[in-house]
Amino acid sequence: MTSIYPHKKAKALKPTSRRPAKELCSECGLCDTYYIHYVKEACAFLNQQIGVLEQQTHQRSRNLDHENELYFGVHQDMIAARKQQPIEGSQWTGIVSSIAIEMLNLGLVEGVVCVQNTKEDRFQPMPVIARTPEEILAARVNKPTLSPNLSVLEQIEQSGMKRLLVIGVGCQIQALRAVEKQLGLEKLYVLGTPCVDNVTRAGLQKFLETTSRSPDTVVHYEFMQDFRIHFKHKDGSIEKVPFFGLKTNQLKDVFAPSCMTCFDYVNSLADLVVGYMGAPFGWQWIIVRNDTGKQMLDLVQNQLDTQPVTSQGNRKEAVQQSIPAYDKGVTLPMWAAKLMGVVIEKIGPKGLEYGRFSIDSHFTRNYLYVKRNYPQKLATHVPEFAKRIVGQYKLPN
Ligand code: FAD
Ligand code: SF4
């Protein structure tokens, strides 16, 4: 009998083989499966198609004339939230893990694609299909490295699962949405996180070694809204390093080329997105994109404190000034970096305006990177919303 799924005849690439997107590959995992058959259309770096997939997923693409949609994508609601009882060892308060556990416990899904770490290395990603709350909990906390989450896709078909939750970042979700109809599922739920400046495992080591006082004891870190990186160490101590003191000249090549060309910071194609950067310090930021996302969030409402999102300050000047500073790889002396951090924290952008600050800074940097390194991709790879955002600033050549 011939298969109605032509992809089953395709062969996954060997781990050592060069990926179709070459150096732009974000190791999303698709090419580790027979779904590589669809790579030309599905790969986020070969065929940027956010607008088309927004239409497919949310039944409309974002309204470019509405500032919050231009920046944060299609949504019906945004709130700030935190768990009343945070999950110990989660990245923030564990809203992502809690939603996944509820969905599994209620039987809405039979499995959850998420990423644990290997026994040997706390930051080495190990994607799994979790089928118990314990397996979901074992995946809590960010593995701040490129992670081949989609490498488990073949197992879904083999297991016969029909209802699935996938947790992932933008490039993984873009490829997933492109092959969604081939997965043979009755219902796919997608819980996304924002993502930016990701690195390979080797790049992560370099970042930790250049930036932290004790790279081997870091268990968790985050670029916080107070313009500092907070490193949490094994002994529970927190080390804070101001963004403006980063050794930009040494770190310029540390971020993966895929992430330097990515404009899907806010995970446009997930049903529900859980991050932090549009919320007050200590809170998580939730974007409900569609009815499925609302259904997912409703499952944990009784475990959450919530408040409306707010916005304060004006990011534009800070963004404009950061463009040439980054471009030239300027590093401030530590005392000046700390001072700048303190000043900007007092008067700088907060809430959604901080989210826009971060998006503007990364999109302008990435736009310049694409323009200089992949000029032939500029027109099609940069989505219309990103072109509009970048167009607000004066860029060097
Ligand atoms: P937890 O309950 O701790 O669960 C974390 C979940 O993340 C787990 O289910 C795990 O499967 C998944 N995960 C871990 N590592 C990866 C990975 N490498 N790829 C895919 N999935 C993974 N939010 C912002 O607002 N701004 C940012 O700039 C930002 N950058 C991020 C960069 C990365 C690489 C990642 C993974 C997340 C980023 N986030 C960002 C999201 C944020 O840091 C938290 O992950 C989110 O708020 C969820 O926190 P939590 O406590 O609810 O998650
Ligand atoms: Fe394949 Fe994913 Fe790499 Fe694209 S990003 S080449 S789909 S593994």
Side-chain angles (χ1 to χ4, degrees), residues 12 17 33 59 62 75 101 104 115 128 204 207 210 214 241 250 295 298-299 305 322 354 372 378 397:
S17 307
T33 71
Q59 283 71 57
R62 72 185 73 189
H75 62 275
I101 290 172
L104 197 64
V115 51
V128 296
L204 175 63
F207 171 70
T210 357
S214 169
V241 178
Q250 291 177 45
Q295 185 195 359
D298 283 349
L299 299 174
D305 289 327
S322 72
Y354 178 84
R372 287 173 185 164
L378 200 64
N397 282 323

Coordinates of all heavy atoms in Angstrom, one line a residue, residues 12 17 33 59 62 75 101 104 115 128 204 207 210 214 241 250 295 298-299 305 322 354 372 378 397:
A12 N 16.0 11.1 7.7 CA 16.5 12.1 8.5 C 18.0 12.3 8.2 O 18.7 11.3 7.8 CB 16.4 11.7 10.0
S17 N 25.7 15.8 9.5 CA 25.6 16.3 8.2 C 25.2 17.8 8.2 O 24.5 18.2 9.1 CB 24.4 15.6 7.4 OG 24.7 14.2 7.4
T33 N 14.4 14.3 11.4 CA 13.3 13.4 11.2 C 12.9 13.3 9.7 O 13.5 14.1 8.9 CB 12.0 14.0 11.9 OG1 11.6 15.1 11.2 CG2 12.3 14.4 13.3
Q59 N -6.4 32.6 12.0 CA -7.4 33.0 11.0 C -7.2 34.5 10.6 O -8.1 35.1 10.0 CB -8.8 32.8 11.5 CG -9.3 31.3 11.4 CD -8.6 30.5 12.5 OE1 -8.7 30.8 13.6 NE2 -7.9 29.4 12.0
R62 N -1.4 39.7 11.7 CA -1.4 40.9 12.6 C -1.8 42.2 11.9 O -1.5 42.4 10.7 CB -0.1 41.0 13.4 CG 1.1 41.5 12.5 CD 2.4 41.5 13.3 NE 2.9 40.1 13.5 CZ 3.9 39.8 14.3 NH1 4.5 40.7 15.0 NH2 4.3 38.6 14.4
H75 N -3.2 39.0 18.9 CA -3.6 38.5 20.3 C -5.0 39.0 20.6 O -5.5 40.0 20.0 CB -2.6 39.0 21.3 CG -2.4 40.5 21.4 ND1 -1.6 41.2 20.6 CD2 -3.0 41.4 22.2 CE1 -1.6 42.5 20.9 NE2 -2.5 42.6 21.9
I101 N 1.2 20.5 32.9 CA 0.8 19.5 33.8 C -0.8 19.4 33.9 O -1.3 18.3 33.8 CB 1.4 19.8 35.2 CG1 2.9 19.5 35.2 CG2 0.7 18.9 36.3 CD1 3.6 20.0 36.4
L104 N -2.2 17.7 30.8 CA -2.0 16.2 30.8 C -2.9 15.6 31.9 O -3.6 14.6 31.6 CB -0.5 16.0 31.2 CG 0.0 14.6 31.0 CD1 0.1 14.3 29.5 CD2 1.5 14.5 31.5
V115 N 11.7 20.1 26.8 CA 13.2 19.8 26.7 C 13.8 19.7 28.1 O 13.8 20.6 28.9 CB 13.9 20.7 25.8 CG1 13.6 22.2 26.0 CG2 15.4 20.5 25.8
V128 N 12.1 15.6 24.8 CA 11.4 14.4 25.1 C 9.9 14.6 24.8 O 9.4 15.8 24.7 CB 11.5 14.0 26.6 CG1 12.9 13.7 27.0 CG2 10.9 15.1 27.5
L204 N 27.6 29.2 24.6 CA 27.1 29.4 26.0 C 28.3 29.5 26.9 O 28.4 30.3 27.8 CB 26.1 28.4 26.4 CG 25.6 28.5 27.9 CD1 24.9 29.8 28.1 CD2 24.7 27.3 28.2
F207 N 30.1 32.6 26.6 CA 29.3 33.7 27.2 C 29.5 33.7 28.7 O 29.8 34.8 29.3 CB 27.9 33.6 26.8 CG 27.0 34.5 27.5 CD1 27.0 35.9 27.3 CD2 26.1 34.1 28.5 CE1 26.2 36.8 28.0 CE2 25.2 34.9 29.2 CZ 25.3 36.3 28.9
T210 N 33.1 34.8 29.7 CA 33.4 36.2 29.5 C 32.6 37.1 30.5 O 33.0 38.2 30.7 CB 33.0 36.7 28.1 OG1 32.5 35.6 27.3 CG2 34.1 37.4 27.4
S214 N 31.8 33.2 38.0 CA 32.0 31.8 38.3 C 31.2 30.9 37.3 O 30.1 30.4 37.6 CB 31.5 31.5 39.8 OG 31.4 30.1 40.0
V241 N 25.1 41.6 36.4 CA 26.1 42.3 35.5 C 25.3 43.2 34.6 O 24.4 42.7 33.9 CB 26.8 41.2 34.7 CG1 27.8 41.9 33.7 CG2 27.6 40.2 35.6
Q250 N 34.0 41.0 22.4 CA 34.3 39.5 22.5 C 33.1 38.7 22.2 O 33.1 37.5 21.9 CB 34.8 39.2 23.8 CG 36.2 39.7 24.1 CD 36.7 39.4 25.5 OE1 36.5 38.2 26.0 NE2 37.2 40.4 26.2
Q295 N -8.1 28.9 26.3 CA -8.5 27.7 27.0 C -7.4 27.2 27.8 O -7.6 26.7 29.0 CB -8.9 26.6 25.9 CG -9.4 25.4 26.4 CD -9.4 24.2 25.4 OE1 -9.0 24.4 24.2 NE2 -9.9 23.1 25.8
D298 N -6.9 29.4 31.0 CA -8.0 29.3 31.9 C -7.8 28.1 32.9 O -8.2 28.1 34.0 CB -9.3 29.1 31.2 CG -9.9 30.4 30.6 OD1 -9.3 31.5 31.0 OD2 -10.8 30.3 29.8
L299 N -7.0 27.1 32.4 CA -6.8 25.9 33.3 C -6.0 26.3 34.5 O -6.1 25.5 35.5 CB -6.0 24.9 32.5 CG -6.6 24.3 31.2 CD1 -5.7 23.4 30.5 CD2 -7.9 23.6 31.6
D305 N -1.8 35.0 40.5 CA -2.1 36.4 40.8 C -1.9 37.0 39.4 O -1.0 36.7 38.7 CB -1.0 37.0 41.7 CG -1.2 36.5 43.1 OD1 -2.3 36.2 43.5 OD2 -0.1 36.4 43.8
S322 N 21.9 53.1 21.2 CA 22.5 51.7 21.3 C 22.9 51.2 19.9 O 23.8 50.3 19.9 CB 21.6 50.7 22.0 OG 20.5 50.4 21.1
Y354 N 9.3 48.5 27.8 CA 10.5 47.7 27.9 C 10.5 46.6 26.8 O 11.5 46.4 26.2 CB 10.7 47.1 29.3 CG 12.0 46.3 29.3 CD1 13.2 46.9 29.6 CD2 12.0 44.9 29.1 CE1 14.4 46.2 29.6 CE2 13.2 44.2 29.0 CZ 14.4 44.9 29.3 OH 15.6 44.1 29.3
R372 N 24.1 43.1 5.8 CA 25.5 43.0 5.5 C 26.0 41.6 5.1 O 26.8 41.4 4.2 CB 26.3 43.4 6.7 CG 26.3 44.9 6.9 CD 26.9 45.3 8.2 NE 26.7 46.7 8.5 CZ 26.9 47.3 9.6 NH1 27.2 46.6 10.7 NH2 26.7 48.6 9.7
L378 N 17.4 39.9 2.3 CA 16.8 41.0 3.0 C 15.3 41.2 2.7 O 14.4 41.3 3.6 CB 17.5 42.3 2.7 CG 17.3 43.5 3.7 CD1 17.9 43.1 5.1 CD2 18.0 44.7 3.2
N397 N 25.3 52.5 7.5 CA 25.3 51.6 6.3 C 25.9 50.3 6.6 O 26.7 50.1 7.4 CB 26.1 52.3 5.2 CG 25.2 53.4 4.6 OD1 24.0 53.2 4.5 ND2 25.8 54.5 4.3

